[in-house]
Amino acid sequence: MLSDAERSRVPVRMGTSHAVFVGRVVGDEPVDLRFFAAEGELPACGHGTVAAVAYLAGRRGGGEHEFRLRVSGRTFVGRAVRDGDQIRASFDPGPVAVRDATSFEVGLVVDALGVAAGDLLSGACVASLGRARMLVPVTTPGAVVALGPRLDRLRAACDQLGLLGCYVYSPPTRVGGVVARMFAPSIGVPEDIANVNSTACLAARMAGSGFPELTVDMGDVLGEPATIIASARPSSTGVRVLVGADAMIVRAVPYLAGAKATEVEAPDLDPPLTALDTICGR
């Protein structure tokens, strides 16, 4: 059985941004998921959840699957539809808490992000799906691409404000197209090629603004294009968000003493993200 410190070393040794540890599948019981980055455990991870759903679907035959998943005590449903080697995975990330960012918070973060004068739009917010992050709107996709954050200062700002990181995005086009970048040096991820949970937070923020579905492009600056689709709909309990992407099983490789790691690659989401199965224990 791996210790938590050993779990945190898995993404480093496998060359991935995160690792998701998938619990044992026992009948109709929820499958437990735990997520680790180099800096330690995360309470939630959107692209890790997509990877886990794809991994579970890859172990079954047939075209459509539904799984009950449990993360940090919350149980929810993940769905998968197979199309050849690709698996469209989606899930409900749960309720999103959103508040307007204060001028002090915005000033501290924007300075570290290197947002050019005149490129910042109003409407920055702090959103959470377990851990808070700041969503920062800028004027154009070009302004997103041109960012040159000072990561040491950004980490200090995020640590001071209790933020996971910062998600910078362009205004949606009339069909919901967005360009975004996510910086999370506080958890050991200088720039995330794709960030599903922050995209879910953006969908919740934009709910009621005429954009029921967003198609968010990320990763281009790093040479790893990624696309995430998120929708937000009114429900009896508030706004219900669905988020997902396409993924495929890349390979299974031995790791540590008897453990088996599976790399799940999402060509429209993320480069390989390690899914470690229950041979490792939990």
Side-chain angles (χ1 to χ4, degrees):
M1 181 178 295
L2 299 179
S3 67
D4 284 358
E6 289 170 327
R7 294 172 193 260
S8 294
R9 290 195 287 271
V10 168
V12 177
R13 294 179 63 174
M14 294 291 292
T16 62
S17 58
H18 302 70
V20 52
F21 290 78
V22 182
R24 297 186 184 278
V25 180
V26 181
D28 294 328
E29 291 296 310
V31 179
D32 288 304
L33 306 180
R34 295 180 67 189
F35 308 99
F36 286 81
E39 296 292 323
E41 187 168 10
L42 303 174
C45 176
H47 54 301
T49 304
V50 168
V53 171
Y55 167 73
L56 291 167
R59 300 176 65 183
R60 295 185 179 181
E64 297 188 16
H65 306 280
E66 189 171 286
F67 308 96
R68 294 178 66 215
L69 307 172
R70 184 163 51 210
V71 175
S72 299
R74 173 178 172 262
T75 300
F76 58 98
V77 172
R79 295 180 176 85
V81 178
R82 182 186 292 276
D83 182 10
D85 291 336
Q86 293 201 33
I87 299 168
R88 171 64 57 90
S90 61
F91 67 98
D92 173 359
V96 180
V98 183
R99 65 169 176 82
D100 291 337
T102 67
S103 58
F104 172 76
E105 291 170 326
V106 172
L108 202 61
V109 165
V110 165
D111 179 62
L113 282 170
V115 177
D119 283 346
L120 179 67
L121 294 176
S122 62
C125 69
V126 175
S128 177
L129 269 168
R131 288 189 64 178
R133 77 282 323 272
M134 188 180 292
L135 310 185
V136 181
V138 294
T139 51
T140 64
V144 176
V145 172
L147 290 171
R150 288 160 285 192
L151 294 174
D152 55 341
R153 295 181 62 179
L154 183 60
R155 175 168 187 160
C158 289
D159 289 349
Q160 179 179 341
L161 299 174
L163 300 175
L164 169 76
C166 296
Y167 181 90
V168 186
Y169 66 95
S170 63
T173 66
R174 61 184 182 81
V175 294
V178 173
V179 173
R181 294 173 69 184
M182 175 70 180
F183 305 97
S186 291
I187 61 169
V189 182
E191 181 168 356
D192 213 354
I193 291 167
N195 195 281
V196 171
N197 277 357
S198 294
T199 301
C201 290
L202 179 61
R205 175 66 165 178
M206 301 300 295
S209 300
F211 299 101
E213 183 172 285
L214 300 176
T215 301
V216 178
D217 291 328
M218 302 184 71
D220 295 84
V221 172
L222 300 176
E224 296 284 354
T227 301
I228 308 163
I229 299 173
S231 63
R233 300 285 191 279
S235 73
S236 58
T237 57
V239 175
R240 182 170 184 257
V241 176
L242 289 176
V243 66
D246 291 340
M248 66 175 64
I249 305 299
V250 177
R251 60 176 176 152
V253 295
Y255 180 85
L256 296 177
K260 184 175 68 176
T262 301
E263 284 188 6
V264 181
E265 184 174 84
D268 291 331
L269 172 64
D270 204 1
L273 185 149
T274 306
L276 216 64
D277 70 17
T278 55
I279 296 174
C280 298
R282 290 173 40 216

